[in-house]
Amino acid sequence: MHHYYFSEIDFLTVCRAIGLIGFFLYVTGFFCLSVGKLDSSRPLYFGLVLVAATCVMISLWADFNLPAALIQGFYILMSAGGIVMRRQRLTQAA
């Protein structure tokens, strides 16, 4: 008999909860950007999007959806690129 640390139901629940965290990070980031509390020229915004997309991608292990996975993959790549570019600009300006 196999004993797993997480049962299948627990795994799905954890993945979905992480996806909800990602959703809230997306919404919070967009709201803060819209009201001027976040600046898209800083790496912080792209870091927030990167974490949100990664959380949603994790949730796709529980309920896979190819178009959603492609979108999250795109956001992960673009956010990582945005962080690198913003950091280069900040170090060049210093």
Side-chain angles (χ1 to χ4, degrees):
M1 181 173 185
H2 295 283
H3 294 283
Y4 296 102
Y5 185 71
F6 285 114
S7 70
E8 183 177 338
I9 293 172
D10 290 338
F11 176 75
L12 295 177
T13 302
V14 168
C15 286
R16 289 175 181 149
I18 291 170
L20 286 174
I21 292 168
F23 162 76
F24 285 113
L25 289 174
Y26 270 132
V27 171
T28 301
F30 188 72
F31 175 78
C32 290
L33 185 66
S34 298
V35 298
K37 298 289 185 188
L38 253 176
D39 182 4
S40 67
S41 66
R42 303 297 230 160
L44 177 63
Y45 176 71
F46 290 94
L48 186 65
V49 172
L50 177 66
V51 172
T54 302
C55 288
V56 173
M57 186 69 91
I58 290 169
S59 76
L60 292 174
W61 282 342
D63 300 304
F64 186 74
N65 178 321
L66 181 59
L70 292 172
I71 290 168
Q72 299 314 312
F74 174 79
Y75 275 128
I76 289 168
L77 290 174
M78 291 296 103
S79 295
I83 290 169
V84 169
M85 290 175 56
R86 295 321 190 266
R87 285 194 182 270
Q88 285 176 347
R89 286 185 195 163
L90 289 173
T91 55
Q92 289 174 356

